[in-house]
Structures are given as C-alpha cells and as structure tokens.
C-alpha cells in the first residue's frame, strides 16, 4: 500500500523480511491505534503489545489484597483505572467500601491528614510513578497512612520475554516515559535492536525505521529517537529518591510467572508505611478461570480481537479482564478505535 508519509515509505523499503517488534507502553499502543499506524505498515512488519500497562499487569491476588483492606474498614485511595479491575470477589468500585479516586499519592496523604481512619494508597506504576511516591514518604506522612506497592520495573520483564522466545521478537520499541526517569544504560544488557521512541505518529514510524535498519544490518543495540525528553542518564535525582525508599523484589505479573527482581517494595526503614506488613496481608496466587486472554495479549502472542469475549461479553462497561479497563490497556484501546488495523 502506498503512503504519502515519507517515513512510512522508507519503512516499506527497509522491511525486506518478516519483522516483529514489541512496544512496552500503553501510551504507544494508544498512539498507534489512534493514528491508524498499523494500516501504514508493510505486510511483513508487525508491532505487538507487551506488558506496558501497569494496571493490566497487576495480578488478581494483589487486587484481592486491596479488597481485603477495604473490607477491614480502611479508606482506599488509588487511580481511577484500578477501580474496575476484577478481583476474585468483585472490584474496588463495587465492594461497598470507602474507596476514593485520587490524582496521586499527595491527595491520599491529604485524606489521611483529615481523618483518624487508616488510609491506604494503592500505588501502581513503573519507574514513572515510583519516584513521586518515594518523595512523599520521605516527608513523613501521618501514622494512619500506608501504601500497597504494586510497582514494577520494565527490564526484568523484557529479560523474561527474550528468554522465553514465544513471541519471536526482533526488537523492542522502548517506553519513552519510563526512560525519562530510568535512562538508557540498563537496557544495554539486551543484545537486540531497541529504539526509544516518542509518542507522535512520526516518532513511532521513525522508531520502527530505526529498528528495521538494525535488523537489516544484523546489529542489536539501544538508539535514542526521543532525545528531546530522554537523556542517557535519565533523571538521577528521581532514581536516587526511588532507591532510597524502595528495593527490588520478586513479583508475579498478570499473565507471567514470578519475575525475579521486577517489583519494588518498601525498604525496612519505611516499613511503617507498608500496608502489607501493617495489616498482615498476603498476596495469594489466583488461578485463571475465564476465557479472557489478557495474559496472552500482555505477552505479545495474541491480539485483543483474537479473544472470544472481546466486544461481546467483555466491553469497557462490563470488563472481564484488566486490559479492557485501563486507558493504557490494549483491549480498551482497540475497542475505542475500531479502525486500529
């Protein structure tokens, strides 16, 4: 198919063999669908979604932990996207507890300052949101405030995907937002084509061109196509604050097994703010029991439209899986932009 866009034309020239690239960012998926980028791609080039939506990769056992705290009478504060993610016994939205949508951790702390009740902030996100949470804990919130840390970091998940090989990936489009904090160095461990891309249509097409060129050249390294936001070192101050408060731990991702050193938990000196310890909460492993294929979508081996439930039983109003809930979830995005292909 011919296109007027010169970058798309160049991409067609470069793609001389089948290539599959994965992005690890819900915002990239939204931009790809909104701009109809898949319709501009040559037939032998595929871009698939990875575990780039932090709400989507939060396993059911962690949602159940938040529901347990709500049932104990805690005020639960969190982002709106998390409210409708199904746990074993319903959602935070439907649980009947005191659950409040906040814009960030600072708003949750404000709630704690105005009540005697226990306030738990359900803290979700990659390296983009963790430094803000860490900074607020350093200023010593009130004693009735704590967090459930559902934070994850991206490189260990990429390591797992590459080691499994089930998605047959030729390279990664790296998440621009995450790398503004994390920087580039940690991604050099992967000897595959990687490009940091921005979020405009031309940014994404340029990133794909650079990935295709690396495949053709037989090279595998990190290139930065988003230098207006991403610096080599990332944000050292944000990283230092995050490291002061959090340490890495082994955690399960929805659709994945436990991935070593892929989560962030509070260090011992901040344990008074750790809701898991404070209320003796155990994250239970929950077996999947529905026809939902969010797990395969998150691993890049299925498209949302491959699911029997997509757009029928599972819609944004009646989500069965988390990928239909979050604004960064692939199923919600594909449902919102039916001409995504």
């Amino acid at each position: 198919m011919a296109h007027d866009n010169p970058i798309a034309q160049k991409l067609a020239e470069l793609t001389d063999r089948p290539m599959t690239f994965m992005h690890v960012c819900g915002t990239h998926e939204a931009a790809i669908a909104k701009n109809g980028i898949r319709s501009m791609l040559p037939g032998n080039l595929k871009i698939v979604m990875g575990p780039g939506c932090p709400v989507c990769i939060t396993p059911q056992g962690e949602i159940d932990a938040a529901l347990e705290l709500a049932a104990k009478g805690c005020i639960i504060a969190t982002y709106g996207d998390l409210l409708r993610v199904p746990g074993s016994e319903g959602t935070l939205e439907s649980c009947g507890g005191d659950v409040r949508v906040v814009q960030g951790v600072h708003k949750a702390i404000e709630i704690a300052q105005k009540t005697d009740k226990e306030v738990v902030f359900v803290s979700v996100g990659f390296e983009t949101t963790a430094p803000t949470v860490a900074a607020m804990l350093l200023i010593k919130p009130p004693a009735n405030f704590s967090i459930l840390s559902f934070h994850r970091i991206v490189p260990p998940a990429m390591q797992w995907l590459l080691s499994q090989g089930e998605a047959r990936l030729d390279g990664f489009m790296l998440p621009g937002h995450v790398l503004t904090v994390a920087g580039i160095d940690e991604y050099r461990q992967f000897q595959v084509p990687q490009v940091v891309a921005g979020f405009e249509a031309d940014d994404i097409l340029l990133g794909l061109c650079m990935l295709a060129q690396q495949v053709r050249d037989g090279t595998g390294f990190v290139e930065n196509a988003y230098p207006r936001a991403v610096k080599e070192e990332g944000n050292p101050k944000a990283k230092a604050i995050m490291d002061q408060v959090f340490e890495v731990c082994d955690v399960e991702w929805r659709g994945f097994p436990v991935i070593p050193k892929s989560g962030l938990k509070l260090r011992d000196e901040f344990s008074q703010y750790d809701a898991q310890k404070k209320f003796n909460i155990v994250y239970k492993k929950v077996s999947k029991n529905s026809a939902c294929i969010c797990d395969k979508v998150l691993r890049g081996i299925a498209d949302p439209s491959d699911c029997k439930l997509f757009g029928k039983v599972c819609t944004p109003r009646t989500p069965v899986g988390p990928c239909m809930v979050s604004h960064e979830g692939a199923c919600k995005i594909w449902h919102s932009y039916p001409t995504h292909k």
Side-chain angles (χ1 to χ4, degrees):
M1 190 187 298
H3 288 284
D4 294 335
N5 187 302
I7 311 179
Q9 289 173 2
K10 179 66 175 174
L11 184 58
E13 292 169 22
L14 287 170
T15 313
D16 62 347
R17 68 200 77 174
M19 299 181 191
T20 301
F21 301 122
M22 175 182 278
H23 67 72
V24 201
C25 179
T27 311
H28 272 147
E29 184 57 37
I32 289 163
K34 183 178 179 180
N35 292 292
I37 285 175
R38 285 192 177 88
S39 70
M40 304 170 72
L41 301 183
N44 53 359
L45 174 63
K46 188 170 187 191
I47 183 163
V48 298
M49 297 136 283
C53 163
V55 168
C56 304
I57 51 90
T58 300
Q60 201 165 309
E62 293 185 11
I63 301 295
D64 288 347
L67 288 167
E68 187 180 337
L69 288 173
K72 288 185 178 201
C74 296
I75 296 172
I76 304 297
T78 192
Y79 307 111
D81 273 7
L82 203 69
L83 261 62
R84 299 175 66 210
V85 176
S88 301
E89 306 291 334
T91 64
L92 284 169
E93 186 179 60
S94 66
C95 71
D98 189 347
V99 179
R100 307 186 193 182
V101 175
V102 292
Q103 291 172 309
V105 62
H106 60 295
K107 292 294 184 184
I109 290 172
E110 285 177 17
I111 294 170
Q113 289 166 338
K114 295 172 184 172
T115 182
D116 294 330
K117 285 187 169 184
E118 289 288 341
V119 176
V120 178
F121 178 64
V122 183
S123 198
V124 183
F126 296 124
E127 294 93 326
T128 36
T129 54
T132 312
V133 176
M136 295 307 291
L137 293 183
L138 285 170
I139 60 171
K140 300 200 170 9
N144 63 329
F145 176 81
S146 56
I147 72 164
L148 271 183
S149 175
F150 294 172
H151 289 290
R152 304 287 193 279
I153 52 179
V154 172
M158 288 174 55
Q159 176 70 60
W160 189 91
L161 286 159
L162 288 168
S163 68
Q164 296 299 307
E166 62 179 353
R168 300 186 181 281
L169 303 173
D170 294 294
F172 287 92
M173 180 172 289
L174 298 178
H177 293 146
V178 167
L179 272 80
T180 56
V181 173
I184 289 170
D185 198 46
E186 206 173 346
Y187 292 82
R188 292 209 167 92
Q189 63 183 294
F190 308 120
Q191 305 296 307
V192 296
Q194 299 168 78
V195 174
V196 189
F199 299 93
E200 301 299 326
D202 282 354
D203 285 327
I204 293 166
L205 289 170
L206 175 62
L208 290 170
C209 279
M210 293 166 74
L211 285 166
Q213 186 68 60
Q214 282 201 46
V215 172
R216 282 188 62 153
D217 293 345
T219 55
F221 59 98
V222 184
E223 289 186 279
N224 185 4
Y226 196 33
R228 63 185 187 272
V230 173
K231 304 291 181 274
E232 175 76 22
E233 68 280 6
N235 185 327
K237 189 175 282 188
K239 286 196 288 187
I241 290 170
M242 187 167 69
D243 290 345
Q244 189 178 343
V245 174
F246 290 104
E247 62 183 334
V248 294
C249 60
D250 304 344
V251 289
E252 176 193 352
W253 295 44
R254 190 182 289 251
F256 295 73
V258 171
I259 301 177
K261 297 182 178 177
S262 65
L264 293 175
K265 66 177 183 178
L266 290 174
R267 293 186 180 276
D268 286 344
E269 52 267 44
F270 295 93
S271 58
Q272 73 267 36
Y273 300 120
D274 187 338
Q276 214 186 336
K277 290 181 178 174
K278 195 173 189 179
F279 301 102
N280 198 25
I281 297 290
V282 176
Y283 296 156
K284 299 180 182 72
K285 169 75 177 168
V286 179
S287 299
K288 181 183 145 181
N289 60 1
S290 83
C292 166
I293 63 164
C294 277
D295 54 337
K296 292 181 177 175
V297 172
L298 291 166
R299 298 203 307 275
I301 56 173
D303 290 333
S305 53
D306 295 334
C307 184
K308 297 185 298 214
L309 309 181
F310 178 76
K312 301 181 181 77
V313 177
C314 184
T315 70
R317 292 182 72 84
T318 57
V320 175
C323 296
M324 188 60 91
V325 177
S326 173
H327 292 297
E328 295 190 349
C331 299
K332 170 82 174 283
I333 291 165
W334 280 42
H335 195 274
S336 301
Y337 300 103
T339 56
H340 47 77
K341 290 196 172 176

